[in-house]
């Protein structure tokens, strides 16, 4: 019976100032590859990968979220969660 290693956040989100109409990317590095229980939120709304939100994983451990052409409505807290661990910006 194998248990998955507890994935922790190695490097958290950074607060970012962005101009309206620009793209903004948030990065969060986790301790293990293939983390499954991962979630991005903006203002407590879970984000899906679509034309406005690009969610990807670089090098297995760096989870990125790009918000395209942000507007004033996008201002708020971005949350990255992996298992019980959370990082916000």
């Amino acid at each position: 019976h194998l248990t998955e290693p507890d994935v922790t956040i190695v490097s958290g989100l950074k607060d970012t100032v962005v101009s309206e109409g620009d793209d903004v990317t948030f990065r969060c590095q986790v301790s293990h590859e293939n983390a499954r229980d991962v979630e991005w939120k903006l203002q407590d709304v879970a984000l899906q990968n679509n034309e406005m939100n690009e969610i990807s994983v670089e090098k297995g451990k760096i989870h990125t979220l790009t918000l395209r052409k942000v507007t004033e409505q996008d201002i708020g807290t971005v949350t990255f969660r992996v298992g019980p661990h959370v990082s916000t910006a």
Side-chain angles (χ1 to χ4, degrees):
H1 172 73
L2 287 171
T3 58
E4 289 192 33
D6 188 24
V7 177
T8 59
I9 294 172
V10 176
S11 154
L13 300 178
K14 306 275 189 289
D15 285 338
T16 304
V17 176
V18 61
S19 302
E20 192 161 13
D22 285 351
D23 296 350
V24 59
T25 299
F26 295 92
R27 285 187 179 78
C28 203
Q29 184 175 350
V30 299
S31 57
H32 295 84
E33 291 189 16
N34 305 320
R36 270 186 233 149
D37 188 14
V38 167
E39 184 178 51
W40 286 97
K41 285 182 173 178
L42 175 62
Q43 308 174 107
D44 285 333
V45 177
L47 297 176
Q48 307 301 322
N49 203 5
N50 58 36
E51 65 277 359
M52 296 307 295
N53 313 314
E54 187 180 314
I55 296 170
S56 62
V57 181
E58 299 171 2
K59 302 188 179 105
K61 296 181 184 177
I62 300 170
H63 292 257
T64 69
L65 165 68
T66 299
L67 301 177
R68 302 239 172 256
K69 297 187 172 62
V70 296
T71 66
E72 287 181 8
Q73 282 77 49
D74 293 319
I75 292 170
T77 302
V78 172
T79 305
F80 174 81
R81 181 184 64 77
V82 55
H85 305 283
V86 170
S87 178
T88 60

